Amino acid sequence: SQKIEQNSEALNIQEGKTATLTCNYTNYSPAYLQWYRQDPGRGPVFLLLIRENEKEKRKERLKVTFDTTLKQSLFHITASQPADSATYLCALWSNYQLIWGAGTKLIIKP
Amino acid sequence: DAGVIQSPRHEVTEMGQEVTLRCKPISGHNSLFWYRQTMMRGLELLIYFNNNVPIDDSGMPEDRFSAKMPNASFSTLKIQPSEPRDSAVYFCASSLTSREQFFGPGTRLTVL
């Protein structure tokens, strides 16, 4: 069956360190993958998109990698800050729609 | 731009009542998506429209759910009759390229 997996347990990171979140998928061949941030009581907010032919994408303190052989994307936040605390969702584009992971809750401790 | 607008923000109703959720997408966007989010099931796509035409409604759970998009600036999601298991946060999202999606603030629905 097709599925997308994100670490269901919350990730606790010390402020200033790099946070790394994982998104694994099976039985998809996505043209691209997206990462979104969701704060409590709000809708997801788009962060980054990476295409299948791209290995890495950066935006300020954010970096995303995409390994189609491993069927995995990694999302990094460098120099993490308490304001980065949120739930991060990955989503694959497949069959003309986004397929969503369940999200990983990230907690940055001061 | 005001972003995607949803109303109401909160809705509490009794089982069996009709519920109508409303969405105004970002002007110029040609795709609109209705999602439901719960702790148990995460974010689920219910239906999406492209140029006001429903493209995929396979995520609509039952015949009790229906969605319309009469024009490019308005869509509704209706549940009739509502049941307690419909309690969730319902999001509307719009996009221009069918890629990055812009979400509204959501409607928190509670069915008693």
Side-chain angles (χ1 to χ4, degrees):
Chain A
S1 63
Q2 300 173 322
K3 59 181 180 179
I4 300 171
E5 290 185 340
Q6 294 186 257
N7 193 333
S8 59
E9 296 182 3
L11 183 62
N12 288 275
I13 299 293
Q14 194 68 38
E15 181 179 8
K17 302 293 186 183
T18 296
T20 299
L21 286 70
T22 304
C23 177
N24 295 299
Y25 60 94
T26 58
N27 297 329
Y28 287 111
S29 295
Y32 54 87
L33 183 147
Q34 302 181 21
W35 283 88
Y36 287 74
R37 168 184 173 142
Q38 186 173 23
D39 292 284
R42 295 178 178 270
V45 175
F46 172 79
L47 295 175
L48 281 167
L49 179 153
I50 186 165
R51 292 179 172 77
E52 59 179 339
N53 60 348
E54 297 176 317
K55 296 295 184 184
E56 183 179 296
K57 202 80 167 282
R58 291 176 185 262
K59 180 183 177 182
E60 299 173 352
R61 295 184 295 111
L62 309 181
K63 184 178 83 171
V64 171
T65 62
F66 194 11
D67 189 325
T68 55
T69 301
L70 292 178
K71 294 187 182 296
Q72 180 182 78
S73 175
L74 299 179
F75 177 82
H76 307 271
I77 305 175
T78 59
S80 59
Q81 305 166 1
D84 295 325
S85 299
T87 295
Y88 291 85
L89 302 134
C90 69
L92 303 179
W93 182 255
S94 178
N95 291 330
Y96 302 101
Q97 62 178 275
L98 278 179
I99 313 298
W100 295 82
T104 298
K105 185 174 183 178
L106 176 64
I107 301 169
I108 306 298
K109 297 185 175 181
Chain B
D1 198 318
V4 175
I5 299 172
Q6 291 187 248
S7 65
R9 294 294 310 276
H10 302 273
E11 177 81 24
V12 180
T13 191
E14 293 188 346
M15 182 174 63
Q17 296 298 307
E18 177 179 295
V19 175
T20 299
L21 311 182
R22 297 173 176 79
C23 175
K24 176 179 170 54
I26 292 173
S27 177
H29 282 189
N30 61 355
S31 295
L32 183 140
F33 307 82
W34 281 102
Y35 289 94
R36 178 172 67 178
Q37 188 174 41
T38 61
M39 288 294 292
M40 290 296 294
R41 301 175 67 90
L43 199 61
E44 301 175 281
L45 177 67
L46 300 177
I47 185 171
Y48 83 92
F49 296 84
N50 188 256
N51 294 322
N52 311 340
V53 176
I55 302 300
D56 185 353
D57 65 353
S58 60
M60 297 285 263
E62 300 172 28
D63 291 344
R64 298 184 297 106
F65 286 69
S66 62
K68 294 182 180 180
M69 191 165 186
N71 56 61
S73 60
F74 184 66
S75 178
T76 59
L77 177 68
K78 186 176 293 187
I79 308 172
Q80 166 63 21
S82 58
E83 297 182 2
R85 60 192 169 123
D86 301 331
S87 297
V89 180
Y90 290 81
F91 288 105
C92 174
S94 71
S95 73
L96 177 59
T97 62
S98 294
R99 293 179 180 178
E100 61 178 281
Q101 296 183 8
F102 296 82
F103 283 74
T107 296
R108 182 172 296 276
L109 174 64
T110 302
V111 183
L112 303 175

